[in-house]
Amino acid sequence: MIELLTSHYLYVLTFVLLGLGIYMVIASENLVKKLIGVNLFQTAIFLFFVSMAYIDVDGASAPIVPHEGTPGEVMVASPLPQVIVLTAIVVGIALTAVGLALIIRIYSEYGTLREDTLREVRADE
């Protein structure tokens, strides 16, 4: 069991980050902490995609086909997951920026970032 966990440590780290991110989103009352939890969840998904594209085989190389080999015989990693993750990182940064802008606006309007207090204030209006 320990040998399996040490050989697949990226998957273990992915699920630890997924769990931490979900826990922060569900258990925290502070909106900034919820946004940090969403970012942790996104990071875990990015790590999962990149770790799925990793090839741990002798002779595997970057996705550049050399001149002396034929394309079907060379073991290369797929560049598609890295491209998808790069695009997702840009979307994640935009999501974080919009989330922080909304949090700043909520704080300037209501003076708090606690979700339960915001619900009470909104119910009174």
Side-chain angles (χ1 to χ4, degrees):
M1 178 68 178
I2 297 297
E3 185 177 313
L4 179 69
L5 290 177
T6 57
S7 65
H8 294 89
Y9 63 92
L10 288 175
Y11 301 125
V12 173
L13 181 62
T14 297
F15 288 113
V16 166
L17 286 175
L18 279 171
L20 282 172
I22 289 292
Y23 177 75
M24 285 181 71
V25 168
I26 293 172
S28 180
E29 291 290 330
N30 192 331
L31 294 179
V32 175
K33 290 180 183 177
K34 285 183 180 283
L35 189 62
I36 291 171
V38 169
N39 283 329
L40 268 177
F41 191 84
Q42 286 177 346
T43 303
I45 298 298
F46 301 157
L47 179 64
F48 180 70
F49 274 124
V50 170
S51 63
M52 289 298 291
Y54 178 70
I55 296 178
D56 190 19
V57 177
D58 292 335
S61 64
I64 301 170
V65 179
H67 290 290
E68 58 271 359
T70 58
E73 296 175 355
V74 179
M75 177 76 73
V76 295
S78 174
L80 186 61
Q82 285 94 6
V83 171
I84 291 171
V85 167
L86 187 60
T87 305
I89 288 172
V90 172
V91 171
I93 290 171
L95 175 72
T96 303
V98 170
L100 286 174
L102 288 173
I103 287 172
I104 290 170
R105 179 73 175 126
I106 289 170
Y107 185 75
S108 67
E109 183 73 26
Y110 297 107
T112 186
L113 293 177
R114 291 190 52 86
E115 187 178 7
D116 55 348
T117 308
L118 288 171
R119 284 185 183 162
E120 291 173 6
V121 170
R122 292 285 296 164
D124 292 340
E125 290 181 355

